[in-house]
Amino acid sequence: MFRNGTRIYCVYVIVLGIFIGALFAVVSPGIYKLSAILLFVLLFFGYKNRKNSISYAFVAAALFLHHCLLAKIVFDKSVDADSLTPFIINAGFFYAPVLPDPITPVLAVLTLAYYFISYNGGTISLLVGGKIFTTFLITSLVSGGVYFFRQLSIERERFYQANLTDPLTGLYTFTYAVKIGQDLLDHGNKLIVMIMNIDNFKNINDTYGYFIGNKVLIQFAGYLRDAVCHEAVVARLGGDDFIVMIKQDDATTLSVDGLIDKLNKREYITDSDLDSVHLAFSYGVAIQDKGTVVDIQELINVAEKDIYCNKTSQGIGVAIYNGNEILDASFYDLVHVLAQKDMYTYVHSLHVACYGASLAKCWGLNKKQVAEVFLAGWLHDVGKIAIPNEILRKPGKLTEKEYDLIKRHVEYGMNILLSFDVSEVVRQAVITHHERYDGLGYPYGRSQQDIPLAGRILAIADTYSAMTVKRVYRRKLSQAEGLTELKRQEGRQFDPELVETFIDMLTEKHFQVQT
C-alpha cells in the first residue's frame, strides 16, 4: 500500500514526464532535446527537495532552460500559437509543487507568458491578453491549491504524530503502544510487558517545581529509550508511569534485570544550582509465552498487579556517604511518611543525618554515639508530618502565628517518637536541635553546655543543610557562603568549637553527601 505522499509523487513524475515528452518532441534536435531532458531532471530533484530552500535553485535553473526552449520554439516557428500555449499555461502544475511558498511560482510562470507576446510579433492583442490572464489564473489556483494542501498535510501529520508520540517525552503514546503490542501477540511472539513508576514523583514536583519535574521526566524517558535501544517498544502511560514491551527472540539481548541495572546507575540533572539526583522506581512484569495469543490488556493488568505487590513490599533503604551508619528498618515506614509529606524535608533530613554523623566522628565520639546522632538527624523533623503543607511550602515570610505553629514540630516529633524505641540521647537531640548557644532558642531556652552535645551538633548540621539544599522558591547558598554564615553565628547560635570543627571537616573534604 502506498501512502498518500508516495501516490502524489508518482502522479507528479508521470505528468511531468508527459509534459517534457511533448516538449522534447517539438524542440530542435541536439542540445535542445538534451535541455528538455535536463529540465525534467531539475524539476524532479526540485520536487524531491521541495521542503528545503535548495528547491529555489533547481527552479531557477529549470526556468532558465524553459525560457531557452520556448525562445527556440518561437524563433523556429516549429509549432503554432495554439500548440505553444500548453507549454506555458501548464507550467504552473510543475513549478507550484516544487516551491514551498505560493507566490514565487506565479511570478516564475508569468515570465514565460512573454512568449505569447513574442510569438505575436511583440504586440499585445485581446487574444494574447486572455492567454496571459489565463496563465496567471491557472497558476494562481494551482499554486494556492498546492500550498493549501501542503498546509493541510502538515496539520494532518502533526495530528497523526500527536496520536503516536507523547508531546513531552517523545515516547510512544499508550494507545499506540497497545496497538503495537497486540500486533506482536497476534503474530505469535513471546512478549514481556513491564510497567514502571517513578516513586514519589509528586513530591519532586512539589519540592522543586513542575518545570524541573518535567525536565526529570524527559531525562528519564531519554535514558529509558537509550537503554532499550531498538529491542523494545517504550511508551508513556501518563504522569510518571511508563510501559516497556520487549519482544523475545534469538536476536534479543535485552533483559528486565539488565534494563533496571542501567537505569539504577543514572543521575538526573535539574539545574546548575541543584545537585544531581537519583530516582527510585517500582516496576511490575508480565511475560507471555510464545504462541499463546492473549489480549494485550490482560498482560498490562498482570504487570499492574505485579507493580502494586512490589510497591507494598518495598521498604526505604538508605545508604550514606562512606560511613557504616544505616537507618534501622524499624524507621522505614516513618521516613516513608515523611517523604510522602514533603520531599524537601526528606532530603534535608538525610543531609542532616550525614553531616551530623560526620561531625560526631570528627569530634571523637564513639561508634554508638555517632549512630545515635545519625538517627537523630533522620528524625529531627518528623514532627513536620503534622504541619499543614501550605505552611511547610509557603514561599514568603511566615506570619507570627504560622511561625509559632512551625516551632511546635519539635513537640509533635517527641510525641511521635514515644511510639518508637529510641535512646534518651536521640530524644534529647531531637528536642534541642533548635536551642541556641546564647539561650535564645526554643523550646526550653537552654544555653551553652546545658544543651546536649548531640543537640548542638544537629543545630549546626540542620542550619547548614537548610542553607545549602535548594527549595523551589529560594536560592541555595554555596558551601563558602554557608560556612561564612556559620562562622558569623558561632558563639551566638552555635557552639564555636563545634563550628570550627565542622568548617575544618568540610574544607578538608572529609565528607560528601550522596542522595
Side-chain angles (χ1 to χ4, degrees), residues 2 26 42-43 49 70 124 190 203 213 325 358 410 434 486:
F2 289 112
V26 299
L42 289 171
L43 289 174
N49 294 276
L70 291 178
I124 300 180
K190 179 180 178 181
N203 293 319
E325 291 75 31
S358 185
V410 176
H434 280 297
L486 291 182

Side-chain angles (χ1 to χ4, degrees), residues 334-407:
L334 181 59
V335 172
H336 180 65
V337 172
L338 184 64
Q340 293 281 14
K341 175 71 175 181
D342 181 40
M343 181 60 74
Y344 165 77
T345 304
Y346 172 84
V347 173
H348 167 67
S349 297
L350 169 61
H351 280 232
V352 172
C354 296
Y355 285 132
S358 185
L359 178 55
K361 284 182 181 180
C362 291
W363 193 252
L365 299 188
N366 60 41
K367 184 177 180 180
K368 179 177 179 294
Q369 293 170 318
V370 170
E372 289 176 322
V373 171
F374 177 75
L375 178 59
W378 262 116
L379 303 178
H380 79 290
D381 270 348
V382 292
K384 289 184 178 179
I385 292 172
I387 305 296
N389 282 342
E390 58 268 22
I391 296 179
L392 278 181
R393 298 169 185 164
K394 184 176 180 179
K397 185 178 180 180
L398 296 175
T399 65
E400 184 175 347
K401 184 178 180 180
E402 290 170 338
Y403 182 61
D404 288 339
L405 183 57
I406 281 286
K407 290 196 294 184

